[in-house]
C-alpha cells in the first residue's frame, strides 16, 4: 500500500491525475482536508509518531508520500520518525516557493510575534486559527482581524482568545488579488501577516494586493526542506514501487 499524507490542494491535484488509486490510502487531519479529496480512501485524524508506526504496520504501507502543508512540520517530523523505525521509504513533496522583495521576512514564530508587538495599526492575519492566541497576547494598540476557515473549531479558538466577531472573517480560499484588495479596503488594513506557503496557495495574490494598496506584507518564512517538486517524478516513483511490490 502507498500512504499519501494529504489535506492540501496539491494532494487533490496529484490524485486526480492517477489512473489507479486502489492501492493508495490518504490521511488528513481535518474534515476540511477530507472534503478536498474525491474518489479515494481517506482517513481523518491526527497521529503521533508511535501511532504512525502502527498505521504503517497495520495497513502494510510500503511507500510514504508526504504532501502535507509546508508548515505542518510536526506531521512531517513524525512521518520521518515512523518511516525510519519501520524501514519504509519516505518521500517529501516540496511545494514551489514564492517570495517578495517588499515584504518583512521573519524566520520564526518568535521573531514574528516580536515584530507584531513592535508595530501599531490594522493588521490582517491570514495564517489560520491555530496561532490566534499567540497573536492576541501581543495585540497592543493594534486592531487584529483574522481570516480563518469557516469551521467550528477555528471559530472556537478565536472566541476563546477573546476575539470580537467584528474581527473575524470566515471564508475558504485561496483568494484572488481583487478579493484581497476588497478586504484591505473594507477593514482599513495596514499590514498583512501571511506564511510563505508557495505559489499555488494564494500567496502571490496577497503580495500583489498589498503592493497595489500600499500595505506592508509580513511573511513567516518556511523551513527549508528537500524532496521531489514535480508530479511526474512522483508518478515515476509510484510506478517503480508497483513493479517491485
Amino acid at each position: 500500500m502507498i500512504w499519501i499524507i494529504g489535506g492540501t490542494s496539491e494532494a487533490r491535484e496529484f490524485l486526480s491525475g492517477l489512473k489507479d488509486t486502489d492501492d493508495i490510502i490518504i490521511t488528513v487531519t481535518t474534515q476540511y482536508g477530507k472534503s478536498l479529496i474525491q474518489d479515494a480512501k481517506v482517513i481523518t485524524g491526527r497521529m503521533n509518531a508511535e501511532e504512525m508506526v502502527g498505521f504503517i504496520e497495520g495497513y502494510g504501507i510500503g511507500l510514504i508520500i508526504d504532501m502535507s502543508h509546508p508548515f505542518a512540520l510536526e506531521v512531517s517530523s513524525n512521518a520521518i520518525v515512523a518511516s525510519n523505525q519501520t524501514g519504509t521509504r519516505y518521500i517529501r513533496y516540496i511545494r514551489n516557493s514564492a517570495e517578495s522583495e517588499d515584504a518583512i521576512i521573519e524566520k520564526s514564530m518568535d521573531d514574528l510575534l516580536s515584530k507584531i508587538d513592535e508595530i501599531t495599526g490594522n493588521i490582517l492575519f491570514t495564517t489560520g486559527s491555530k496561532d490566534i492566541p499567540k497573536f492576541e497576547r501581543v495585540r497592543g494598540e493594534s486592531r487584529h482581524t483574522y481570516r480563518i476557515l469557516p469551521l467550528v473549531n477555528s471559530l472556537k479558538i478565536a472566541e476563546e482568545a477573546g476575539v470580537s466577531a467584528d474581527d473575524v472573517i470566515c471564508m475558504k480560499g485561496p483568494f484572488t488579488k481583487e478579493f484581497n484588495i476588497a478586504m484591505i479596503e473594507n477593514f482599513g488594513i495596514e499590514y498583512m501577516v501571511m506564511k510563505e506557503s508557495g505559489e499555488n496557495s494564494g500567496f502571490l495574490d496577497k503580495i500583489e494586493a498589498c503592493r497595489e494598496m500600499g500595505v506592508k506584507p509580513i511573511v513567516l518564512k518556511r523551513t527549508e526542506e528537500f524532496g521531489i517538486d514535480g508530479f511526474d517524478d512522483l508518478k515515476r516513483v509510484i510506478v517503480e514501487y508497483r513493479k517491485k511490490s
Side-chain angles (χ1 to χ4, degrees):
M1 289 290 287
I2 300 169
W3 173 21
I4 294 181
I5 304 174
T8 59
S9 58
E10 285 91 352
R12 176 183 60 188
E13 183 181 351
F14 178 65
L15 287 165
S16 68
L18 295 179
K19 294 180 180 179
D20 181 13
T21 59
D22 289 344
D23 62 345
I24 291 176
I25 187 167
I26 303 96
T27 59
V28 298
T29 57
T30 65
Q31 288 296 322
Y32 169 70
K34 184 177 182 179
S35 71
L36 297 177
I37 308 295
Q38 302 294 329
D39 302 324
K41 186 175 182 179
V42 184
I43 295 176
T44 306
R46 299 180 185 276
M47 291 186 283
N48 58 30
E50 183 179 353
E51 290 167 334
M52 286 183 177
V53 168
F55 180 87
I56 291 169
E57 294 174 343
Y59 283 94
I61 303 297
L63 174 64
I64 304 168
I65 299 177
D66 184 356
M67 301 189 78
S68 60
H69 192 277
F71 283 86
L73 301 180
E74 185 176 356
V75 173
S76 297
S77 177
N78 287 339
I80 291 170
V81 170
S83 73
N84 290 334
Q85 289 187 12
T86 59
T88 306
R89 186 179 182 187
Y90 169 92
I91 296 172
R92 174 64 166 143
Y93 175 78
I94 307 297
R95 182 183 288 182
N96 290 335
S97 62
E99 296 184 1
S100 169
E101 296 178 355
D102 303 326
I104 299 171
I105 306 296
E106 301 297 347
K107 295 182 178 180
S108 70
M109 178 56 70
D110 287 342
D111 291 341
L112 176 58
L113 291 172
S114 294
K115 174 57 66 175
I116 300 304
D117 196 27
E118 291 174 6
I119 63 178
T120 301
N122 293 344
I123 308 172
L124 175 60
F125 292 86
T126 64
T127 55
S129 60
K130 185 178 70 173
D131 296 312
I132 287 178
K134 297 177 183 177
F135 294 133
E136 283 300 286
R137 286 195 287 270
V138 293
R139 172 189 285 273
E141 298 299 319
S142 296
R143 179 186 179 184
H144 289 186
T145 301
Y146 298 96
R147 190 165 73 194
I148 61 177
L149 285 170
L151 302 174
V152 172
N153 188 56
S154 298
L155 279 169
K156 184 178 179 181
I157 291 172
E159 183 180 17
E160 290 180 349
V163 180
S164 166
D166 293 334
D167 296 328
V168 178
I169 304 168
C170 291
M171 302 188 75
K172 175 184 173 293
F175 303 98
T176 64
K177 179 187 77 171
E178 291 74 21
F179 203 98
N180 282 301
I181 287 174
M183 290 188 179
I184 289 169
E185 291 178 327
N186 188 70
F187 289 91
I189 299 302
E190 299 165 82
Y191 300 90
M192 186 185 292
V193 178
M194 63 191 80
K195 294 176 179 177
E196 193 276 287
S197 48
E199 290 182 353
N200 298 325
S201 64
F203 175 80
L204 293 177
D205 288 300
K206 296 176 191 176
I207 291 294
E208 288 300 320
C210 287
R211 183 179 293 121
E212 188 163 322
M213 297 301 294
V215 170
K216 196 67 178 178
I218 305 176
V219 178
L220 178 60
K221 192 170 181 62
R222 69 165 104 164
T223 301
E224 186 176 6
E225 296 182 293
F226 301 94
I228 291 176
D229 61 4
F231 282 0
D232 287 342
D233 291 332
L234 280 183
K235 289 176 183 177
R236 279 194 284 270
V237 170
I238 289 178
V239 170
E240 290 174 9
Y241 168 78
R242 285 172 171 166
K243 286 179 179 178
K244 295 176 181 178
S245 60

